[in-house]
Amino acid sequence: MKNEIKKQLLLSTIVLFVIIITLLIWYDNFVFHTYVTTNTYQYCFKGENSDFQINGYEFYQTDNILETGNARILCYQSDLLLENDEVVITFYVNDTTSYKDTLEISYDNEVLNMTVNQYNDILSIDDFDNPYIHITITRDNKNIYENDIEMTNQDILTYNGSNKDYTISNVYVTSSWLKTGDFSCKIDDLENQYPYMTIDYMYSSEEVELNEYERFVYISGNTKDILENNEYQVVYYDSDDSLLDNDIICVITLMNSKDDNDPYIFTIELKAGVHYE
């Protein structure tokens, strides 16, 4: 009986040893593909009427900081926005909570891009009760336009991708909008090896060669800044189909100088993960 127990104990020890060695060997790959950091929430609102389209109005909560705005405003009427006009955009979350922005028109028929504002507010999706934007236009101290635009929270998919050493995470995508994500790596001194880098976001509706992908948006700058996630871009997809129906990849170029003739280039395929709505 004692010999049998010893055999079982030896077998269990061998199996445990094999499992531990396997986990150690595959740890980097496992942890890289399983965990990504996520923020408290990311909402993206869109609305339009016969005069305006407002797309990409963000409510972005991380820790106790709420960021709002960052939307694009397109005017459908050629003479509705003229130089020196004042446009007031007020987003009503509900009857008691609103966020106001004032923009000045720099030239006729300007496409407006709202800035990002920060607040110490905390909101949840339950706070949004029939949200809308009230827009007014003032010209020569006279109110020439005033209207409400119903705003709809867009379905957002969070895209992530990685290889053994590098990852792109928290890329937020709707049918017509994309917000670039976070770049991270397992190499401690990457910014010293490659002080400069570029991330190209590419898309295609079909399975094609890399050189046939469409360049969508890119981030370029100091590797240190990009690793610290200080560089984000928002871009709009104005085609008739949905951006969510396209394949999205990132082409990463690492450079040891700004005029590096032999940079390190590789691709990361992004896949949809967390769904926000």
Side-chain angles (χ1 to χ4, degrees):
M1 179 65 69
K2 289 183 178 180
N3 289 335
E4 185 65 27
I5 293 174
K6 288 181 179 179
K7 289 180 181 180
Q8 292 294 334
L9 182 59
L10 179 60
L11 179 60
S12 299
T13 303
I14 293 173
V15 171
L16 180 61
F17 180 76
V18 171
I19 292 173
I20 291 174
I21 293 299
T22 302
L23 288 175
L24 288 174
I25 292 173
W26 288 96
Y27 174 77
D28 287 344
N29 196 46
F30 170 78
V31 72
F32 230 56
H33 285 273
T34 304
Y35 299 102
V36 294
T37 58
T38 58
N39 299 290
T40 306
Y41 63 72
Q42 168 79 63
Y43 301 141
C44 177
F45 285 83
K46 181 180 180 180
E48 64 183 322
N49 61 14
S50 59
D51 300 315
F52 289 96
Q53 180 199 86
I54 302 176
N55 191 9
Y57 196 108
E58 294 186 54
F59 285 86
Y60 175 68
Q61 183 88 47
T62 175
D63 298 324
N64 293 320
I65 301 298
L66 173 65
E67 295 185 353
T68 70
N70 207 26
R72 182 187 69 175
I73 303 173
L74 294 178
C75 182
Y76 294 144
Q77 310 300 329
S78 60
D79 295 324
L80 189 52
L81 293 180
L82 300 182
E83 183 178 357
N84 296 324
D85 285 354
E86 182 181 85
V87 180
V88 178
I89 303 291
T90 307
F91 192 111
Y92 285 89
V93 174
N94 50 48
D95 291 338
T96 60
T97 305
S98 62
Y99 298 91
K100 181 178 178 180
D101 290 87
T102 301
L103 304 95
E104 184 172 321
I105 305 302
S106 300
Y107 53 88
D108 294 355
N109 306 315
E110 180 181 2
V111 175
L112 299 176
N113 291 286
M114 298 179 64
T115 58
V116 176
N117 298 311
Q118 291 188 340
Y119 302 91
N120 291 321
D121 299 346
I122 297 178
L123 298 176
S124 74
I125 193 61
D126 295 332
D127 293 313
F128 291 85
D129 184 17
N130 298 317
Y132 68 94
I133 278 179
H134 185 74
I135 180 170
T136 61
I137 303 174
T138 303
R139 181 177 301 153
D140 298 327
N141 297 319
K142 295 181 180 179
N143 190 344
I144 66 160
Y145 181 90
E146 188 167 2
N147 212 336
D148 293 336
I149 300 176
E150 180 182 349
M151 300 299 290
T152 302
N153 188 22
Q154 303 296 291
D155 285 347
I156 296 179
L157 289 178
T158 304
Y159 281 65
N160 305 295
S162 64
N163 58 24
K164 184 177 181 297
D165 294 319
Y166 304 93
T167 190
I168 302 282
S169 60
N170 297 325
V171 179
Y172 297 107
V173 184
T174 74
S175 61
S176 61
W177 170 92
L178 180 146
K179 183 178 182 180
T180 60
D182 302 324
F183 173 78
S184 59
C185 76
K186 303 286 285 183
I187 301 172
D188 292 335
D189 61 343
L190 183 70
E191 63 269 30
N192 296 324
Q193 295 183 43
Y194 300 102
Y196 306 98
M197 66 177 296
T198 298
I199 304 175
D200 287 290
Y201 286 75
M202 317 277 285
Y203 72 90
S204 176
S205 60
E206 300 176 349
E207 292 187 11
V208 295
E209 297 295 327
L210 178 60
N211 59 5
E212 296 183 70
Y213 272 73
E214 296 287 339
R215 189 190 197 194
F216 199 31
V217 63
Y218 73 96
I219 291 177
S220 183
N222 294 326
T223 302
K224 184 176 185 295
D225 291 337
I226 294 175
L227 281 169
E228 293 175 351
N229 302 324
N230 293 330
E231 301 289 338
Y232 293 101
Q233 297 287 338
V234 166
V235 66
Y236 299 90
Y237 184 75
D238 293 321
S239 297
D240 293 333
D241 63 327
S242 171
L243 180 58
L244 298 172
D245 294 331
N246 287 260
D247 293 328
I248 303 175
I249 65 171
C250 285
V251 179
I252 292 90
T253 303
L254 301 176
M255 298 167 285
N256 53 38
S257 66
K258 290 184 177 180
D259 55 355
D260 189 352
N261 293 321
D262 187 27
Y264 176 41
I265 302 174
F266 60 94
T267 63
I268 291 180
E269 183 179 5
L270 301 183
K271 292 295 186 181
V274 179
H275 178 218
Y276 291 86
E277 61 177 342

